[in-house]
Amino acid sequence: MPPTSRRLLSSLRRIVHAEEASGPDTTMLPVIDDAFAARVLDLSIRIGETMLVVGAPASEVTLTIVRVCGAYGLDPVHVDVTYNSITVAHSRPGTTNPTTLLRVVRGSVPDHAKLQRLQALVTEIGGGLDLDTAVARCRAIRRVPFRYRPPVVVAAQASLAVGVAIMFGANWLALVLSFIAAAMAATTQYALARARVPYFFAQIAGGFVLTVVAALSPLLEYTGIEAAAAIRPSVIVASGIVLMLAGLTVVGAAQDAIDGFALTATGRILELTTQTLGVVIGILAGLETVRVLGLGMSAPSNALPLGPLPVQFLGAAVIAVAVAVFNGAGARIVLVSAALSIVAWLGYVTTSSLGFDVAAASGVGAFVGSFVGIVVAYRLHVPSVAITTAAILPLVPGAAVFRGLLGVVESGEDPAVLMTGVTTLVSAATIGIALAVGASLGIYLGQPLRATLSSVIRTRARLRK
């Protein structure tokens, strides 16, 4: 056959029968109408709303909504997450008006067990879960009550204060008083919350109760108990300060700001500032009250010394377990949080031993804890925000905050004491910023490593098949 005829025949053959390698892929596309799009958007926005309420950052909420919508064929989707609302919009080709849904986010109640269930649901949706089943599963998760009863939560909060006192090497009587003071403060805040009193005033009440109980503790010397002579009231108040700052979204606010969610970050930072101010006002009111009663506390000139190194690690683990429990975590998250808190504190201790100051060492500890935490969280299928929060909380400068406030109140007309108090407060704020930056940096550097590990695991799983 001549070459020309052969080429003509080959061309005709390609017109009639396409080659397998060059043929276009054919996939089954879902039929998407307005009703179907509205149901998918409603499911995704409800999942995102619940995640935002229970403690997920805005970037994770946005990514989850996009993933859920994409799993059911809705692409592209516009998502707008603010501090108290979520908007989702999808415009189908050929339509004039987009389908838009808005959900208002009311309050923030950390519940890491519920967040873990939601993440598992999103994974199942990506694996092909049908829409009706996903909607029913989401509705069931949203209705799940908090894992622990109020007495358990109060006991966990009081145990957090005990963990802080352990880190400072307090004796058994100081541990008991720290537990009692924190339990009284937590019960007061719970009662005010039931009465629908704004949380700002609950923080004031909690700080006041802590300070008064701590100021009364030296009176136990008249009972003849030997351990009463060694009680340091500053340790009791410092442990309570860490308790009341435990639920504040320092890391979440920093992460939202870095991710570009300026409005959400501003709202969280404002909430953080307001609630911290409530603690400050409560402590100041308590200090002034005990001063009038003649039980004033003198401002310590130096930072409170920590206990022996093994005791520090024990206290850090107790704090992490307590935080995980009153945030509604299950047994797996509790154990991982305890282990991760030891890793974060090891990073802090190691950096401090090299000569770095407290703020830098705290930032390194937070970085190590969050970096390891985000990798471990993927392998163990737990929310990274749950274990990261519990891991870095032992680094919160509660003692420095109280020492600075005490110096300001007790300064009188002595400008040197006043400046020392103000300087201490500025140092505490610097440590807080270092914690937020270190934790956020660990999360960002840990995400690529987590993605690489997940890709390797998936590749190995395919090869085994």
Side-chain angles (χ1 to χ4, degrees), residues 61 130 159 190 203 247 299 347:
V61 172
D130 63 277
S159 299
Y190 175 75
Q203 292 284 82

Side-chain angles (χ1 to χ4, degrees), residues 24 61 78 105 154 183 207 209 212 224 293 342 365 385 416 464:
V61 172
H78 172 74
V105 181
V154 171
V209 170
V212 172
L293 296 176
I342 295 176
V385 66
R464 290 174 182 174

Side-chain angles (χ1 to χ4, degrees), residues 335-429:
L335 295 177
V336 175
S337 298
L340 202 59
S341 67
I342 295 176
V343 173
W345 192 255
L346 179 62
Y348 168 79
V349 172
T350 303
T351 309
S352 297
S353 64
L354 295 177
F356 289 87
D357 62 5
V358 177
S362 299
V364 171
F367 168 78
V368 172
S370 61
F371 181 82
V372 176
I374 195 168
V375 177
V376 171
Y378 170 76
R379 294 291 297 143
L380 298 179
H381 305 288
V382 298
S384 59
V385 66
I387 57 179
T388 300
T389 301
I392 70 172
L393 198 62
L395 301 169
V396 172
V401 171
F402 176 67
R403 190 161 58 92
L405 293 175
L406 192 58
V408 171
V409 172
E410 299 295 329
S411 62
E413 297 181 356
D414 191 344
V417 178
L418 177 61
M419 287 303 300
T420 301
V422 173
T423 303
T424 304
L425 289 176
V426 172
S427 299

Side-chain angles (χ1 to χ4, degrees), residues 240-392:
I241 291 176
V242 176
L243 163 65
M244 288 186 292
L245 297 181
L248 304 185
T249 54
V250 180
V251 178
Q255 188 173 352
D256 286 342
I258 295 173
D259 288 336
F261 294 88
L263 192 58
T264 306
T266 302
R268 288 187 172 180
I269 292 173
L270 180 60
E271 180 185 44
L272 169 67
T273 304
T274 303
Q275 295 178 2
T276 304
L277 182 62
V279 177
V280 171
I281 293 175
I283 293 174
L284 293 177
L287 291 173
E288 185 65 18
T289 300
V290 298
R291 186 190 65 81
V292 172
L293 296 176
L295 299 173
M297 292 180 283
S298 59
S301 57
N302 298 318
L304 292 175
L306 293 170
L309 194 59
V311 171
Q312 296 178 29
F313 284 107
L314 175 61
V318 172
I319 293 172
V321 170
V323 173
V325 170
F326 74 71
N327 281 333
R332 178 182 296 180
I333 298 179
V334 170
L335 295 177
V336 175
S337 298
L340 202 59
S341 67
I342 295 176
V343 173
W345 192 255
L346 179 62
Y348 168 79
V349 172
T350 303
T351 309
S352 297
S353 64
L354 295 177
F356 289 87
D357 62 5
V358 177
S362 299
V364 171
F367 168 78
V368 172
S370 61
F371 181 82
V372 176
I374 195 168
V375 177
V376 171
Y378 170 76
R379 294 291 297 143
L380 298 179
H381 305 288
V382 298
S384 59
V385 66
I387 57 179
T388 300
T389 301
I392 70 172

